[in-house]
Amino acid sequence: MANRYYVIDFDSTFTKVEAFDVLADIALAGHPELPLRKKQIEEITKQGMDGAISFRESLEQRLALLPISRPHLQTLVSQLKSKVSESFKRNKEFFSTYADQIYIISNGFREFIEPVVTEYGIKPANILANEFVFDAQGNVIGFDKNNPLSANGGKSERLKNLNLPGDVYVIGDGYTDYEIKHAGLANKFFAFTENVERHSVASKADHIAPSLDEFLYLNKLNTAISYPKNRISVLLLENVHPIAIELMKSEGFAVETYPAGLEEAELCEKIKNVSVLGIRSKTQVTAKVLDHANRLMAIGAFCIGTNQINLTEATKKGVAVFNAPFSNTRSVVELAIGEIIILIRRIADKSLKMHEGRWDKSAKGSFEIRGKKLGIIGYGNIGAQLSVIAESLGMKVYYYDREEKLALGNATKCRSMNELLALSDVVTLHVDGRESNKNLIAADQFAKMKNGVIFLNLSRGHVVDIKALRENILSGKVAGCAVDVFPYEPIDNNEEFVSELRGLPNTILTPHIGGSTAEAQENIGMFVPGKLMDYINTGSTSNSVNFPNLTLPTLENAHRLIHIHNNVPGILARINQVLADHGINIVGQYLKTNELIGYVITDINKGYDQEVIKKLRAIEQTIKFRVLY
Ligand code: NAI
């Protein structure tokens, strides 16, 4: 493609911003007339665009309002360097590979454009822009009026003078970029919409490029990214946190959002072209939904549980599922700590009495938590973090876990749950919800606890025999308790909460809100997109709920083949046979299986022919195959 030239606009294309706006802020910083002058500049720019004044007049008038000097330009350059468009950053290699064929064209000024774009390998001689005129002190006193770019139609004029011997493709966000094609000086115009979307410009374009990825893909120039992100459609349901939407959008995905969940039939229709689905707890991803999901690569559950997803079917179809297992750990821990203190001081009762007008000042039955023995059952994410924080408050921590767990800080491991029950002043449950944990704490276990024990369940409702708990509260054996989870929980806020625990003394009841905080929601909103993007960009499946977990090194100077297959023997050998037959060098290979699927990642040297890809795709038992680079 030696005879094709790529002409790229600078403001709002190469960089996310209009350099002149940023320069105005810098040059006028601290100036008493900053708001007024910015407004005037805006007005002049508008007049220039509307044709009320010429571009040169607009430039003169704007510069007259700005006291620009060299240090301002230095500041501007460093700011612009950090504001290069994301897709330009991703595709840095393109600029150096095609340096001879790439031109930057701008009505802006060489003094700030050149230092930014040459870092990407663009040749100074290929930068077409205006130039400032300075006085001896380094203040801008004007611009080179002989430069056609300081006048209307300047971009076309400069290109005409260049007389490029081949096809010219222009990419930019503004009308002046389209004008180049209109003047007959470009074969194609691509409207770049990553930073600003102007309907009047986009409607005139040969193609719309939501990112440089798309431009490169369309023109078969992609060296850094195998598939443009804007072609990957992401559907986010159930009002997922705005930060998640922002993260997925800024990665360049085509994101569609819905405030509510979708019923099965609707979802079946909607999911056909979706590559990534994001849900919370309400949307049911059934086998039928998955049957309709022709392009689905991954599901992000923006919550902890994944019961709403048919994981077996998802796995069989090669769809990786991710959730946010630790995003609300801290929230649960903080609530547990707060409740332990409140209960051990009998605050729940005291507060209730005060609301009834009763003043009952007494220290009876009130204790500090310092020096008390905290028994944690289930030393997982939550249990372990609670251990650390409780200890820092002066509690002596004991724990029991069915699995071997490392004691954090000075915590002491108990050999059995009974041992823990017998010694603890406070017993708190943080086990998972497995079926066998039903009634883990029942009459027998309460009998083994100390008299006056404080008891907390913030794990799962079925773990405690509620009747037994009630009896032990009434008998005074349990001096205080906090329960956040129940064997049956109302479906929504309209349903009454019915429980034998209602009205009991020193008993805090909360509606399953242990993990419900703004911070937890935000953590989830950040965590899940991170996992999804990692999977899409690198193939990494760490923390996937249903895929064999593989954490992969970043891809450097190689192509990555991602092969998902039914877990039958011999597939790895067949992959490697295909590669050997074509003399391909394997740079790295990773395999992990679970009972349903095998996940093989093979990094290979860059040079290979497309036949290899076809053969790999054709290997029997292949579920999904993709190439990353
Ligand atoms: P995790 O899976 O990291 O830890 C659970 C631990 O319990 C594991 O170490 C496991 O080996 C242990 N365990 C399971 N059964 C046991 C038994 N019978 N005896 C002793 N140890 C046992 O889970 P994580 O993230 O720490 O969560 C703990 C619990 O908290 C879960 O049930 C989870 O559903 C619940 N949770 C509740 C929230 C709320 O809003 N109240 C919010 C977040 C989690």
Side-chain angles (χ1 to χ4, degrees), residues 260 323 403 419 455 457:
N323 66 343
E403 282 169 25
E419 184 189 339
F455 177 76
N457 182 17

Side-chain angles (χ1 to χ4, degrees), residues 326-338:
F326 343 101
S327 298
N328 60 8
T329 301
R330 173 74 191 209
S331 303
V332 179
V333 168
E334 287 193 14
L335 183 63
I337 292 281

Side-chain angles (χ1 to χ4, degrees), residues 323-571:
N323 66 343
F326 343 101
S327 298
N328 60 8
T329 301
R330 173 74 191 209
S331 303
V332 179
V333 168
E334 287 193 14
L335 183 63
I337 292 281
E339 289 182 332
I340 294 170
I341 297 174
I342 293 284
L343 291 170
I344 212 162
R345 297 286 291 270
R346 302 197 74 85
I347 301 294
D349 280 356
K350 289 192 166 79
S351 173
L352 205 66
K353 283 187 189 161
M354 292 290 278
H355 281 285
E356 290 165 356
R358 289 193 280 157
W359 185 267
D360 181 14
K361 185 171 160 69
S362 132
K364 197 169 162 252
S366 292
F367 304 92
E368 289 184 352
I369 59 167
R370 180 171 42 172
K372 300 295 174 299
K373 291 179 176 154
L374 172 66
I376 301 174
I377 303 175
Y379 206 62
N381 296 317
I382 295 175
Q385 189 164 154
L386 175 61
S387 164
V388 173
I389 295 182
E391 195 170 284
S392 73
L393 291 169
M395 298 191 84
K396 290 184 189 142
V397 177
Y398 294 82
Y399 71 92
Y400 168 68
D401 197 290
R402 62 200 300 280
E403 282 169 25
E404 194 54 43
K405 293 279 159 131
L406 174 73
L408 299 182
N410 303 311
T412 308
K413 182 177 136 184
C414 293
R415 281 207 196 101
S416 69
M417 193 166 79
N418 286 346
E419 184 189 339
L420 178 140
L421 296 176
L423 61 79
S424 303
D425 302 305
V426 179
V427 171
T428 184
L429 299 182
H430 300 287
V431 297
D432 54 61
R434 72 188 72 200
E435 197 49 41
S436 59
N437 279 342
K438 189 168 166 38
N439 291 341
L440 180 69
I441 304 294
D444 280 356
Q445 287 68 38
F446 283 115
K448 296 195 169 82
M449 294 182 199
K450 281 185 177 173
N451 277 331
V453 68
I454 300 288
F455 177 76
L456 280 82
N457 182 17
L458 285 83
S459 62
R460 299 292 284 266
H462 67 268
V463 175
V464 177
D465 178 348
I466 296 292
K467 229 180 192 52
L469 174 57
R470 176 188 160 85
E471 279 159 17
N472 281 281
I473 296 171
L474 288 174
S475 74
K477 169 116 196 174
V478 171
C481 99
V483 186
D484 186 45
V485 286
F486 304 88
Y488 175 80
E489 295 177 2
I491 329 178
D492 57 32
N493 291 351
N494 299 320
E495 187 181 328
E496 187 184 344
F497 167 65
V498 179
S499 169
E500 291 174 81
L501 299 176
R502 274 170 53 174
L504 296 183
N506 210 24
T507 296
I508 299 175
L509 302 179
T510 46
H512 204 150
I513 42 81
S516 308
T517 60
E519 288 85 350
Q521 286 305 314
E522 194 176 324
N523 286 343
I524 294 172
M526 291 199 287
F527 187 84
V528 178
K531 291 286 147 193
L532 292 168
M533 291 188 281
D534 250 14
Y535 177 61
I536 288 169
N537 296 340
T538 72
S540 166
T541 50
S542 68
N543 292 108
S544 169
V545 184
N546 64 332
F547 260 45
N549 282 199
L550 272 183
T551 305
L552 300 161
T554 45
L555 194 60
E556 265 164 33
N557 264 328
H559 280 199
R560 177 164 286 171
L561 311 175
I562 299 186
H563 195 266
I564 307 168
H565 54 266
N566 293 318
N567 189 6
V568 294
I571 303 289

Side-chain angles (χ1 to χ4, degrees), residues 20 55-64 107-109 111 130-134 140-147 149-151:
F20 216 86
F55 178 70
R56 186 163 294 166
E57 281 167 323
S58 110
L59 203 52
E60 273 170 351
Q61 291 180 18
R62 282 183 287 164
L63 284 177
N107 297 114
F109 288 82
E111 284 78 4
N130 280 308
E131 279 167 23
F132 285 124
V133 175
F134 295 88
V140 170
I141 49 168
F143 55 89
D144 175 9
K145 294 197 173 111
N146 295 323
N147 189 329
L149 284 162
S150 66

